[in-house]
Amino acid sequence: MANRLTGKPIVVLVFAVSRLVIVSCDQRDSTLAEVNVRYAIEAQRAASQGISFYRLHEENRRLEDPSSLAVERVVEYPPLTVLWMKAPAWFLAAAPKSGPAPDGYVKAVKRANQIAMFLVDLCGVGLLALIGATAGQL
């Protein structure tokens, strides 16, 4: 009799396939490009200029909208979260040091972020399966 996939392996497979579908889609209303990609590019630029990422972000926001309040120009995420946002860009070429980032570069950083999120999701469900979560719990 042939081996059949049942229970946990099916759930993990369906989960992985569903995440691959999500990764392959461009979620246009996502904040991924406006937040994660922006922060990754600004962090690269700040490092290349030897200045604080937080200062560079605040200055960029002030230049974009001079009437904005100081509180609207502050990075709204803690350092570990910003590190996670910029980590996928470490595997790509450096961003241009100034001016708007080319569309192709923005797409590459966005794709790298999507792949990183997919891997974290997959590791999470895999870890849960390994520690004994049932198919229903997964």
Side-chain angles (χ1 to χ4, degrees), residues 40-53 56 86 90 97:
I41 293 170
E42 287 179 339
Q44 282 184 0
R45 288 178 173 173
S48 73
Q49 296 173 24
I51 61 174
S52 162
F53 156 70
L56 179 71
K86 68 182 186 175
W90 294 341
K97 292 189 181 201

Side-chain angles (χ1 to χ4, degrees), residues 48-94:
S48 73
Q49 296 173 24
I51 61 174
S52 162
F53 156 70
Y54 296 95
R55 191 174 116 213
L56 179 71
H57 177 76
E58 186 174 356
E59 181 64 17
N60 286 343
R61 294 293 301 247
R62 187 187 63 72
L63 290 172
E64 288 171 10
D65 184 6
S67 65
S68 64
L69 301 173
V71 72
E72 295 172 330
R73 298 188 297 261
V74 183
V75 171
E76 62 271 16
Y77 295 98
L80 191 56
T81 303
V82 173
L83 177 67
W84 169 250
M85 290 177 184
K86 68 182 186 175
W90 294 341
F91 302 98
L92 303 171

